[in-house]
Amino acid sequence: MLKLGVIGTNWITHAFVNAAIKSEEYELSAVYSRTKGKAEKFASKYDHSETIQIMTDLSELSESEDIDVVYIASPNSLHYEQARLLMTHGKHVIVEKPAVSTLEELEELIDLAEEKEVFFFEAARHIHEDNFQRVASFLKNREDILGANLTFMKYSSRYDALLRGEEPNIFSAKYSGGALMDLGVYLVYTAVAWFGKPNSVYYFNQKLPTGVDGLGAMIFRYDTFDVTMTVGKNADSFLPSEVYLSDSTLCLDAVNSIGSIIQKKRENNELLEINFGTEQSEDVMLEEARAFANIMVNPMGIKQQKIYQDWVQLAKDVHGLMETMRKESDIIFAADAKEIRG
């Protein structure tokens, strides 16, 4: 069993811990929070709460010999320093997306993981789901892709605070927030995983008073087709996502967590509907937790090494594209001015 520590006490941390426990690959060993009461409240939700270590000192967490891997779900701008500290002390890290603020941070952490012989995972959970992989397999090596429209827009409850003149972390340039970073990362991962790295990218967006984006449209240009993606955190969209082929359209209810995959195919002047999605698990992070555990438990397996390197390269491509779009849109984070340590 992998001994799991967590940083962050919000709903997404509970979701990962529940999935990790259900996978039977992890046991919750430690909870870190700046506030002891929050950490204790989080730990109390679990059967063995009396044995879970409560920590308010990151150094104590990093130096503990009772922890193998730490799941990090703090504000975006804190991920780099926390992951760096933990990996320096020999801990694997699973960092909630977006794992970093800049490509330079990502490359530094990947190099550090290799040096310390630990694993660095970005928790882009959707790419590990069965339905996501079914679409990937269906599209692989197809030469008749005509284009795609992908959408992920969800109104954030924190936007109300911004309208009141506050600056929530998720809408703050100081904390590396905005629609592209929070939700757009799902879309960029999807496009690169299914279609490869594009030739060029464009991002047209609406800026908020805090300097980050609230809503925007991305265009990825490939040799023979374009992928258009709409993202937003100050409005809701109920549109499906679609992939256009020479003989059919692939209709998806979402890309961040696919529950329905229907191919609408033209055949003999008739429209056929072929459903090849599977029922979605109630634990949306279960497949992700199992995928990460498989790498950590079997680090020397040739297959596992190939899978991990593919994830690393995908993360580099995704963050490189996101940084290009962000900077071309003059969305500047506090992290952009930081000097990365050698």
Side-chain angles (χ1 to χ4, degrees):
M1 297 282 281
L2 293 161
K3 296 176 182 178
L4 174 68
V6 298
I7 295 177
T9 55
N10 55 21
W11 68 270
I12 199 166
T13 313
H14 276 300
F16 183 82
V17 171
N18 288 329
I21 292 172
K22 188 171 183 178
S23 75
E24 300 182 347
E25 299 282 1
Y26 307 76
E27 59 180 353
L28 181 59
S29 298
V31 177
Y32 166 84
S33 175
R34 291 174 299 175
T35 307
K36 184 178 180 181
K38 287 184 178 180
E40 290 175 336
K41 183 178 180 181
F42 184 97
S44 70
K45 304 292 184 182
Y46 299 94
D47 292 339
H48 62 297
S49 59
E50 67 283 353
T51 66
I52 299 173
Q53 299 178 71
I54 303 301
M55 298 180 178
T56 57
D57 184 340
L58 270 177
S59 295
E60 182 184 5
L61 180 67
S62 67
E63 294 169 6
S64 173
E65 296 182 359
D66 296 324
I67 300 170
D68 300 313
V69 53
V70 178
Y71 173 78
I72 301 173
S74 52
N76 297 344
S77 61
L78 304 182
H79 292 174
Y80 164 74
E81 291 289 353
Q82 292 170 344
R84 189 180 191 282
L85 175 64
L86 291 161
M87 289 194 297
T88 298
H89 287 85
K91 304 291 185 289
H92 306 298
V93 294
I94 300 169
V95 190
E96 189 50 51
K97 60 78 202 161
V100 292
S101 302
T102 68
L103 178 61
E104 187 178 6
E105 287 182 346
L106 179 72
E107 291 174 336
E108 199 267 354
L109 292 179
I110 289 170
D111 289 344
L112 180 62
E114 183 176 357
E115 176 190 337
K116 297 297 181 180
E117 298 183 344
V118 296
F119 292 108
F120 168 87
F121 304 103
E122 180 166 34
R125 62 171 174 77
H126 65 310
I127 69 171
H128 304 287
E129 295 177 356
D130 287 343
N131 281 341
F132 188 95
Q133 293 300 323
R134 280 183 170 79
V135 177
S137 296
F138 178 81
L139 295 174
K140 187 176 182 180
N141 297 327
R142 290 197 69 135
E143 297 181 355
D144 64 337
I145 296 173
L146 303 177
N149 275 296
L150 311 177
T151 301
F152 191 10
M153 290 177 56
K154 186 176 181 181
Y155 189 90
S156 170
S157 59
R158 307 284 181 85
Y159 189 63
D160 295 336
L162 184 142
L163 293 176
R164 293 194 298 268
E166 300 173 27
E167 188 170 313
N169 294 348
I170 203 62
F171 290 114
S172 171
K174 178 181 178 181
Y175 289 100
S176 307
L180 177 64
M181 294 294 281
D182 190 54
L183 300 184
V185 63
Y186 285 103
L187 299 173
V188 178
Y189 255 104
T190 299
V192 178
W194 287 354
F195 309 112
K197 191 175 179 180
N199 299 327
S200 56
V201 295
Y202 306 89
Y203 186 42
F204 307 95
N205 59 84
Q206 300 174 8
K207 272 193 185 176
L208 300 173
T210 56
V212 301
D213 52 325
L215 183 151
M218 293 175 269
I219 299 176
F220 282 17
R221 305 222 73 175
Y222 293 85
D223 288 343
T224 59
F225 62 89
D226 295 335
V227 175
T228 302
M229 296 172 280
T230 307
V231 63
K233 287 187 66 65
N234 57 356
D236 291 306
S237 174
F238 305 97
L239 293 173
S241 290
E242 298 178 330
V243 180
Y244 309 114
L245 307 167
S246 61
D247 65 343
S248 60
T249 297
L250 204 61
C251 301
L252 315 168
D253 62 337
V255 292
N256 58 299
S257 192
I258 302 171
S260 171
I261 308 170
I262 298 175
Q263 183 187 15
K264 296 189 177 183
K265 188 172 184 178
R266 297 182 304 279
E267 194 169 292
N268 298 324
N269 294 321
E270 292 186 13
L271 189 64
L272 305 178
E273 291 195 359
I274 305 167
N275 189 342
F276 59 93
T278 60
E279 188 174 346
Q280 200 171 21
S281 170
E282 291 182 4
D283 292 290
V284 294
M285 293 183 169
L286 181 57
E287 290 152 313
E288 172 189 57
R290 284 174 173 161
F292 296 155
N294 189 40
I295 300 296
M296 289 182 281
V297 173
N298 305 290
M300 300 307 294
I302 295 175
K303 182 178 180 181
Q304 284 78 12
Q305 291 180 34
K306 173 65 165 58
I307 290 171
Y308 177 70
Q309 291 304 322
D310 286 346
W311 291 345
V312 166
Q313 186 58 55
L314 180 58
K316 287 181 178 179
D317 290 342
V318 166
H319 282 275
L321 293 167
M322 289 177 60
E323 187 163 304
T324 294
M325 290 187 287
R326 180 171 63 81
K327 289 189 173 180
E328 287 183 353
S329 298
D330 199 30
I331 299 171
I332 305 302
F333 294 154
D336 292 321
K338 287 193 311 186
E339 183 175 328
I340 299 298
R341 303 172 191 174

